[in-house]
Amino acid sequence: RKEVEQDPGPFNVPEGATVAFNCTYSNSASQSFFWYRQDCRKEPKLLMSVYSSGNEDGRFTAQLNRASQYISLLIRDSKLSDSATYLCAGASGSARQLTFGSGTQLTVLP
Amino acid sequence: NAGVMQNPRHLVRRRGQEARLRCSPMKGHSHVYWYRQLPEEGLKFMVYLQKENIIDESGMPKERFSAEFPKEGPSILRIQQVVRGDSAAYFCASSPRRLQDRGTDSPLHFGNGTRLTVT
């Protein structure tokens, strides 16, 4: 089983829609999680950090469910510019590197 | 404050040649990570280095691949005798502290990558 797994996608949604991605992790010792955004053929950029019970930043909300070992990303009122690949990443307390999921592709349609 | 700088952006090598990828971390960052991304796949960790030390190379292939981060100058990822399967995007990331010591800011700052094509 992969250490970090994501919804395979792709997700195609109309503008203004709400879309949610999930990411499960297998290492119960994982403590920190992050969502990155990657545009085609470019470098990943941090979208949100997810600590303890999650957090919100504008239209984006990240949640952590330790009991079920998953994190989620909710995007409300999606924009065309939200089209990208979304990568989740996790690290355990003793980790020396981030482990990334394979990414979920989102396309927001006009 | 310049970000993580990688060069070259694109590198074409014939099978059997050597590829050298360079990464200059952000100013003040002493922790460097190399990741590889194959087409249509996620980022795979390769190696984590601090100045003059390899801390974790658990993701690095045992043969043909090596990495260094000298006291002066950029980090170098070296691939000897490249094969077509080495074609990928190689991303470098840096951090001012260890992941275990992170704060709530971005744990890793990525460079714009080197796209290696082996013909």
Side-chain angles (χ1 to χ4, degrees):
Chain A
R1 183 182 174 186
K2 291 183 180 178
E3 194 168 332
V4 178
E5 291 198 74
Q6 293 188 240
D7 284 345
F11 285 68
N12 298 316
V13 302
E15 264 187 295
T18 295
V19 60
F21 308 135
N22 285 328
C23 175
T24 58
Y25 59 95
S26 59
N27 184 354
S28 59
S30 296
Q31 294 183 352
S32 301
F33 304 91
F34 309 90
W35 283 102
Y36 279 77
R37 171 193 169 130
Q38 186 176 29
D39 292 286
C40 185
R41 301 182 68 78
K42 294 190 175 180
E43 75 275 21
K45 293 184 179 179
L46 181 71
L47 181 65
M48 299 182 77
S49 300
V50 187
Y51 295 106
S52 61
S53 58
N55 56 308
E56 183 174 318
D57 182 5
R59 298 183 293 109
F60 298 83
T61 301
Q63 294 280 351
L64 167 62
N65 185 316
R66 288 195 183 277
S68 300
Q69 293 186 204
Y70 76 85
I71 63 170
S72 62
L73 177 67
L74 182 77
I75 306 175
R76 291 179 296 276
D77 187 25
S78 52
K79 312 289 185 190
L80 294 176
S81 58
D82 293 333
S83 298
T85 296
Y86 291 82
L87 303 165
C88 64
S92 66
S94 60
R96 293 176 290 192
Q97 35 90 4
L98 280 184
T99 299
F100 284 84
S102 56
T104 300
Q105 185 179 349
L106 170 67
T107 301
V108 180
L109 304 169
Chain B
N1 186 14
V4 178
M5 304 298 290
Q6 286 188 251
N7 65 81
R9 289 292 300 273
H10 300 276
L11 182 61
V12 180
R13 285 288 179 267
R14 291 197 184 96
R15 278 180 298 171
Q17 291 184 320
E18 178 180 289
R20 291 171 71 88
L21 288 62
R22 289 176 290 277
C23 169
S24 296
M26 287 181 69
K27 188 176 180 181
H29 288 196
S30 59
H31 302 260
V32 167
Y33 305 78
W34 284 94
Y35 284 81
R36 176 166 65 175
Q37 188 171 37
L38 294 168
E40 308 304 323
E41 292 191 15
L43 291 161
K44 302 298 182 187
F45 167 77
M46 298 183 75
V47 61
Y48 162 38
L49 311 100
Q50 287 181 259
K51 281 288 186 181
E52 299 184 274
N53 290 302
I54 295 174
I55 307 300
D56 183 349
E57 56 182 347
S58 58
M60 192 97 96
K62 293 292 185 285
E63 296 177 353
R64 302 188 298 108
F65 285 73
S66 62
E68 63 177 8
F69 188 15
K71 187 177 180 180
E72 301 291 337
S75 175
I76 305 288
L77 179 67
R78 182 180 177 206
I79 311 173
Q80 294 178 290
Q81 298 175 327
V82 296
V83 301
R84 286 209 172 119
D86 297 332
S87 296
Y90 292 82
F91 289 99
C92 170
S94 73
S95 175
R97 61 182 74 86
R98 298 181 307 170
L99 279 179
Q100 300 96 306
D101 304 329
R102 65 198 169 280
T104 56
D105 59 351
S106 171
L108 294 181
H109 301 258
F110 281 88
N112 50 22
T114 293
R115 278 147 191 83
L116 173 65
T117 301
V118 179
T119 61

